[in-house]
Amino acid sequence: MALSRYLHDYAARAARALGPDVEASLTVREHGLSLRAGSSTPASARCDQAEVRAGAGPCIDAMSHRSVLVVPSVPGERRWDAWREQALNEGFAKGLAVPAEIAPGFQLGLNLYSRSTDPWSEGLVETAHAYAGLIATGIGLQLQFADVEDAAAGLYRRLSDSAVVEQALGAVMEANACTLDEARQVIRAAARREGVGERVVAETIVRALVTGGHGDIVDGLGP
Amino acid sequence: MEASELLGLLARTLAGIDADLAMPSRLCRACVEILGAQSGAVTLSASPEERLTVSTSDGVSAHIGDLEDMLGEGPGHLALVEDRIVVTPIDGAHPVDDAFPLFSQLVASIRGPATAYAVPMRVSGRVVGVLSLYVEAGRLARDPEDAQFLADAVGMALLGQVDSFDWSTRSRIHQATGMVIAQLGIGPSDALAVLRAHAFAHSTTLETIAREVLARRLAFTYDDTNAVQIERTEEP
């Protein structure tokens, strides 16, 4: 599934989870460039688009200052004209912008809109904050691995590689009566010399010991 | 409960948990709270032998996790292998579970009457770990589908933070396994079984035995009859 589709789903889920009168839109910002990423409704999308086009609005400010920004009354808002005008046209009475960090220098803004004039409750603001964090984690994961499937596969590789290399470190410590650091140097040096990964060297060491090989492991792997 | 409602509940619960705690701890505690459990643990794992417990909600979960790790069996292992929710009573009164008989016998000494749930965490069709829960009320506060959804959400969130976890405990066990491989010339699974057997015989944790081996206070050799012997010294 494309990242843009995930972002749309994140926004839709956030809106559903936060209340029946809440609409949500997501904007991401990196190196000063803001981009609307996904929205639960066309109206919330248009508001974020107006904000991004103008380069000013609650979401952008919240991301810039890394703090939650509450807009208790859209009609009374005077800081961001383009955003205010669009939000009024859509019939929104209040707004809430919640930032979260996806990665260093890469921010997410969760913009919430409502036609209700009741104030945002403290509980909703905290929940929105936690939700923005969950969304940022999800987006970070997608960007880091391109695909969730790769992330799961990455965990398998990480755990598997780690197990084999750490076992080999212990084997070298025992066989060469050396310290952990010395064992690490042995494996790294062998990997460099052979032009292979540490995992390949580690598997060779363990295999050699299990099949009866003993003695100096450095010589056994050397050219 | 619908997925969006559950995600919202997870977010609201997370919001109420100390923000200074690491995210795995917050996720673990949120699941314990939402599912009406008294204790819980989150373990990442690619296979039953390669696991990393990233958070426990309290000491009870940690002890039960250590027991499962030491024995190499238990509901968490079974949930990983068979990719299904495993439920088992912990009270010493029920017959031992044939799938993990030692665990069944010994776990009652750690925890009073309760029920253990092990929920596989699935991401994109792969099992990436287990959410373990211990419930004194006999059953979870929500149905298994909700528990599965939360476990999957936690697994997804944790995958993005793999590099931030403390792998040192697991590393020590792997390194000690490697030393036993070199001492006895046996494969990794057999070497780990030797460590586990020794931990079991001395009623201690796998990690404690691993530390002893790495400190060269404990070694394994063969005697004249090819039986494994234990050599223990106070100082390396």
Side-chain angles (χ1 to χ4, degrees):
Chain A
M1 189 188 286
L3 180 60
S4 58
R5 180 68 197 163
Y6 279 118
L7 293 167
H8 174 79
D9 286 349
Y10 281 136
R13 285 178 176 171
R16 280 203 301 273
L18 292 169
D21 58 347
V22 174
E23 297 175 35
S25 192
L26 295 172
T27 293
V28 292
R29 183 174 174 85
E30 188 174 24
H31 303 308
L33 177 68
S34 300
L35 184 70
R36 186 190 68 88
S39 308
S40 70
T41 59
S44 59
R46 286 190 289 270
C47 289
D48 272 21
Q49 284 164 344
E51 175 174 0
V52 168
R53 277 197 303 270
C59 199
I60 290 173
D61 275 15
M63 287 188 285
S64 298
H65 298 111
R66 301 186 182 194
S67 62
V68 175
L69 211 158
V70 180
V71 181
S73 165
V74 173
E77 181 53 56
R78 291 289 177 267
R79 284 171 285 185
W80 316 289
D81 291 342
W83 177 84
R84 174 180 174 274
E85 186 178 343
Q86 189 65 46
L88 283 176
N89 286 344
E90 303 295 349
F92 290 127
K94 61 183 177 183
L96 176 67
V98 184
E101 186 173 82
I102 297 168
F106 192 9
Q107 299 287 318
L108 165 82
L110 171 61
N111 242 351
L112 301 178
Y113 300 91
S114 175
R115 292 177 171 80
S116 164
T117 54
D118 295 336
W120 296 109
S121 71
E122 190 177 330
L124 186 139
V125 174
E126 288 175 356
T127 301
H129 201 242
Y131 216 109
L134 286 175
I135 295 173
T137 300
I139 294 175
L141 187 64
Q142 319 258 346
L143 293 175
Q144 189 177 351
F145 295 100
D147 195 311
V148 175
E149 193 169 335
D150 284 349
L155 173 70
Y156 275 61
R157 279 195 302 274
R158 167 71 183 258
L159 284 167
S160 176
D161 287 356
S162 165
V164 174
V165 172
E166 298 293 342
Q167 285 166 3
L169 286 170
V172 174
M173 287 167 66
E174 178 66 23
N176 289 4
C178 65
T179 67
L180 178 61
D181 285 344
E182 289 165 344
R184 210 177 290 280
Q185 286 168 17
V186 166
I187 291 179
R188 281 182 183 158
R192 268 199 309 273
R193 202 166 47 240
E194 300 294 317
V196 296
E198 290 184 14
R199 178 178 177 134
V200 173
V201 174
E203 285 174 336
T204 305
I205 290 169
V206 171
R207 196 162 49 239
L209 289 168
V210 172
T211 52
H214 289 285
D216 189 333
I217 284 172
V218 178
D219 287 346
L221 288 167
Chain B
M1 186 178 265
E2 274 196 20
S4 59
E5 290 179 80
L6 265 176
L7 276 177
L9 181 58
L10 178 60
R12 283 196 297 279
T13 309
L14 279 172
I17 295 173
D18 186 353
D20 290 337
L21 290 172
M23 184 50 92
S25 295
R26 296 179 71 202
L27 288 167
C28 181
R29 288 176 188 216
C31 288
V32 166
E33 189 176 324
I34 292 169
L35 296 171
Q38 279 66 53
S39 184
V42 175
T43 300
L44 279 176
S45 183
S47 75
E49 304 300 333
E50 295 157 13
R51 42 188 276 145
L52 177 71
T53 297
V54 294
S55 177
T56 57
S57 68
D58 60 11
V60 173
S61 291
H63 285 313
I64 293 175
D66 283 344
L67 177 67
E68 196 163 353
D69 202 21
M70 184 259 283
L71 296 173
E73 65 170 45
H77 279 71
L78 194 60
L80 277 171
V81 170
E82 298 191 353
D83 186 11
R84 65 178 175 88
I85 297 178
V86 176
V87 185
T88 187
I90 297 175
D91 57 11
H94 284 76
V96 296
D97 195 314
D98 289 341
F100 34 82
L102 284 174
F103 177 87
S104 284
Q105 278 188 345
L106 297 175
V107 74
S109 64
I110 296 175
R111 178 98 188 190
T115 303
Y117 286 76
V119 188
M121 302 189 302
R122 300 174 186 139
V123 175
S124 195
R126 285 177 184 255
V127 179
V128 299
V130 178
L131 170 64
S132 300
L133 299 158
Y134 304 91
V135 192
E136 290 170 358
R139 55 183 302 172
L140 295 174
R142 296 183 181 276
D143 60 35
E145 289 75 21
D146 287 358
Q148 185 64 67
F149 181 86
L150 284 173
D152 295 347
V154 169
M156 170 97 172
L158 291 181
L159 274 190
Q161 306 190 356
V162 166
D163 289 337
S164 68
F165 299 144
D166 179 6
W167 297 81
S168 57
T169 300
R170 213 60 221 166
S171 294
R172 282 192 288 274
I173 292 170
H174 288 316
Q175 289 160 10
T177 302
M179 290 183 76
V180 176
I181 289 171
Q183 289 163 4
L184 298 177
I186 57 178
S189 297
D190 291 340
L192 183 58
V194 167
L195 293 173
R196 281 187 167 138
H198 196 74
F200 179 63
H202 289 79
S203 301
T204 188
T205 64
L206 191 55
E207 192 197 349
T208 301
I209 295 302
R211 285 180 183 275
E212 293 287 292
V213 171
L214 287 171
R216 302 183 197 276
R217 288 191 291 267
L218 180 64
F220 300 90
T221 59
Y222 291 112
D223 67 10
D224 294 340
T225 63
N226 232 19
V228 173
Q229 269 196 330
I230 299 159
E231 291 180 359
R232 176 173 282 282
T233 54
E234 284 309 309
E235 293 299 329

